[in-house]
Amino acid sequence: MSKSSGTAIHTIDLIRKKRDRGTLTEDEIRYLVRGAASESTPSEQLAAWLMAAWLNGLERDEIRALTVAMRDSGERFDPRGLGKVAVDKHSTGGVGDKTSFLVAPIAAACGVAVPMISGRALGHTGGTLDKLEAIPGYRTALSLLEFENVLARCGCSIVSQTPALVPADRVLYALRDRTGTVESPGLICASILSKKLAAGLDALVLDVKTGSGAFLRKREDAEYLAALMVATAEAAGTRTVALMTDMSQPLGYAAGNWIELAESVDLLRGKRPEASEDLRELSLTLAGWMIHLGGKAETPETGYARAEAAITDGSALKAFLAMVEAQGGNPSVFDDPEFHQPRATRVVEAWEAGYIATMDTTMLGWAVQRTGAGREKAGEPVDPEAGIHFHARRGALVENGQPLATLYATNEAMLDEPEMLLKKAIVLAETKPEAVPLVSSVLTREKAEVFLAGAQR
Ligand code: URA
């Protein structure tokens, strides 16, 4: 029980209120979040409230209050001492999505601070931290002081969440996971944004995926979440845009841990393999927006040009390698062609001639996970050398016997299930599929408001 605004608050009343489709006040939401963060509210009460929120939905004001209360539920990073505008990017996750390794050093090289708090592999999607830990010595668990020091020296730092950051989300997310209440736009929005905004961001660029490998497969669901996140982050004082981007096939050619880093560093070195063009294009577009919102370019287009120049002049590569070294990693591994060579490889060939008509990218993500590159349970180790190198893209015309992908693992037996999944995930057909744009729309605050006003929820 708490006394707030002169009235006592009881958790049971908050459960009843949401059950009966009422709207919680800011004080009531703060009370609920405090109880979650301090673990003083019994989990059955929190779970009951979460289910009521899942079933009946949350109003915009409730979502904003929940986001802000969760953001403030623990320690926060204050980037003001860096003397730069702090901007980050968040992606809703996909297969082969490695844009963080490009956008963070590119934006840093253009004068923006990028305090990036990232996550681990989850389900069929890979994790930025797991990939970085393929670099010997790289430490992801920095204290906030160490985080600040790396940012001051390199302009960017990619780290894990500290235990004291957003403790309310740790409790609520674990409960949602166990009670079937993850898939709620308001709860997802508050969970993602609270962790991002706890880094004290001035601006945020969201990469919201749609298509067969996306967390939310239906475009209208993904767009609604994007609009909600833009409007909520803006209401919490952070300039935000969302780009709706394609995940109907893996991004770039590599999916795994080390191979994703190797593909990213090749691009930072100015290489332009055809199979990485989508990754390069998306990274430059996202970085262009970050540089623009960070005040270092008049428009996202001039931000794009600055981002491209940071690759050409080597400054982005320099920022990336400096960050690796500052976080204890050995950057010389990027010069060693023998590093993390897989012990078992298998080429999967096309079983007939035809166009690659569809790729079930979620299934491809599970194939990557089954090579050992991902984990089944939280806390399990991942294999740095495992993964899949894709040789053909959606829409390509392939001959019978042409290599579609090479699988990497530590032993032959680990390759059987990924091969089976990969063959199920790829459909070959006689007709060429329609091309899907890489970036289908950009939601600014104004567009997000228009979208939300018209949305039936
Ligand atoms: N990722 C998060 O961090 N939270 C959610 O609720 C869903 C995805």
Side-chain angles (χ1 to χ4, degrees):
M1 187 191 82
S2 151
K3 271 204 161 184
S4 184
S5 317
T7 323
I9 302 177
H10 302 273
T11 309
I12 181 70
D13 295 331
L14 307 186
I15 298 169
R16 286 197 186 106
K17 196 171 188 182
K18 203 26 72 195
R19 181 197 67 189
D20 298 340
R21 300 175 190 271
T23 303
L24 270 63
T25 65
E26 204 165 319
D27 279 345
E28 289 169 337
I29 298 241
R30 255 202 304 268
Y31 175 77
L32 201 71
V33 168
R34 259 202 315 270
S38 62
E39 299 185 52
S40 56
T41 301
S43 48
E44 63 271 20
Q45 287 197 307
L46 291 174
W49 186 83
L50 287 168
M51 184 55 85
W54 190 96
L55 290 169
N56 294 331
L58 294 168
E59 298 294 330
R60 291 269 303 277
D61 281 346
E62 290 178 303
I63 298 168
R64 185 193 46 75
L66 187 62
T67 304
V68 170
M70 285 169 68
R71 177 196 71 188
D72 298 342
S73 66
E75 217 172 42
R76 285 180 65 184
F77 178 65
D78 183 355
R80 280 174 300 184
L82 298 168
K84 291 179 180 173
V85 179
V87 186
D88 194 4
K89 180 245 10 161
H90 173 80
S91 154
T92 54
V95 179
D97 183 3
K98 52 195 90 70
T99 61
S100 295
F101 308 131
L102 292 139
V103 303
I106 290 172
C110 294
V112 172
V114 186
M116 191 178 274
I117 299 170
S118 287
R120 296 202 173 272
L122 182 74
H124 76 282
T125 65
T128 299
L129 301 177
D130 298 308
K131 296 168 197 174
L132 282 167
E133 283 170 358
I135 306 169
Y138 189 97
R139 288 174 56 229
T140 54
L142 301 192
S143 68
L144 289 187
L145 184 60
E146 289 173 311
F147 188 37
E148 185 167 8
N149 288 339
V150 177
L151 281 161
R153 277 162 63 195
C154 314
C156 57
S157 178
I158 308 180
V159 298
S160 56
Q161 202 185 337
T162 71
L165 211 91
V166 198
D169 185 62
R170 210 182 327 281
V171 173
L172 293 174
Y173 194 82
L175 272 176
R176 286 168 60 208
D177 206 26
R178 295 202 307 266
T179 56
T181 50
V182 168
E183 305 86 350
S184 149
L187 296 176
I188 295 172
C189 172
S191 167
I192 291 175
L193 286 182
S194 60
K195 287 174 285 194
K196 280 285 158 188
L197 303 188
L201 302 178
D202 296 295
L204 175 64
V205 177
L206 297 165
D207 175 2
V208 179
K209 309 287 189 191
T210 61
S212 63
F215 168 58
L216 294 173
R217 279 190 179 211
K218 279 205 242 148
R219 190 185 164 90
E220 59 268 33
D221 292 345
E223 206 159 17
Y224 181 77
L225 178 65
L228 200 55
M229 288 201 289
V230 169
T232 306
E234 287 273 354
T238 299
R239 279 201 72 191
T240 303
V241 295
L243 278 64
M244 304 299 301
T245 76
D246 179 46
M247 188 37 71
S248 61
Q249 62 182 324
L251 191 62
Y253 67 76
N257 294 308
W258 171 252
I259 56 169
E260 291 201 28
L261 279 168
E263 182 182 12
S264 307
V265 168
D266 272 353
L267 290 182
L268 287 172
R269 284 179 165 152
K271 293 189 189 167
R272 302 227 10 209
E274 171 83 33
S276 303
E277 270 304 307
D278 59 340
L279 170 64
R280 185 177 186 276
E281 178 62 23
L282 181 58
S283 301
L284 291 173
T285 306
L286 292 167
W289 272 99
M290 291 169 76
I291 295 162
H292 167 59
L293 293 183
K296 298 293 178 187
E298 287 276 310
T299 63
E301 292 75 26
T302 49
Y304 183 106
R306 287 208 63 186
E308 208 163 22
I311 292 185
T312 310
D313 68 14
S315 55
L317 176 67
K318 202 165 146 203
F320 179 78
L321 297 176
M323 174 189 78
V324 167
E325 197 157 20
Q327 293 192 214
N330 175 4
S332 73
V333 291
F334 291 105
D335 297 320
D336 178 2
E338 297 305 310
F339 189 65
H340 280 324
Q341 280 302 303
R343 275 159 279 181
T345 65
R346 185 179 299 171
V347 177
V348 180
E349 296 171 347
W351 45 93
E352 60 188 12
Y355 287 101
I356 299 187
T358 53
M359 292 174 121
D360 181 336
T361 309
T362 295
M363 200 180 291
L364 291 174
W366 287 117
V368 175
Q369 190 249 8
R370 297 312 298 149
T371 62
R375 57 172 64 81
E376 275 185 66
K377 280 195 243 118
E380 280 181 352
V382 299
D383 184 348
E385 71 201 42
I388 301 183
H389 182 143
F390 293 93
H391 301 300
R393 306 192 58 75
R394 190 178 162 275
L397 180 61
V398 295
E399 316 239 315
N400 191 351
Q402 187 175 324
L404 294 180
T406 304
L407 314 179
Y408 300 148
T410 49
N411 62 63
E412 269 290 317
M414 298 280 293
L415 298 173
D416 294 340
E417 199 181 345
E419 179 178 5
M420 183 269 293
L421 288 168
L422 188 118
K423 285 181 166 165
K424 246 167 96 172
I426 295 179
V427 176
L428 298 171
E430 281 178 14
T431 42
K432 191 174 174 152
E434 244 178 65
V436 180
L438 185 59
V439 179
S440 49
S441 61
V442 177
L443 282 171
T444 55
R445 180 178 57 176
E446 296 74 21
K447 285 193 185 153
E449 288 297 344
V450 171
F451 183 91
L452 291 172
Q456 296 291 319
R457 290 273 158 177

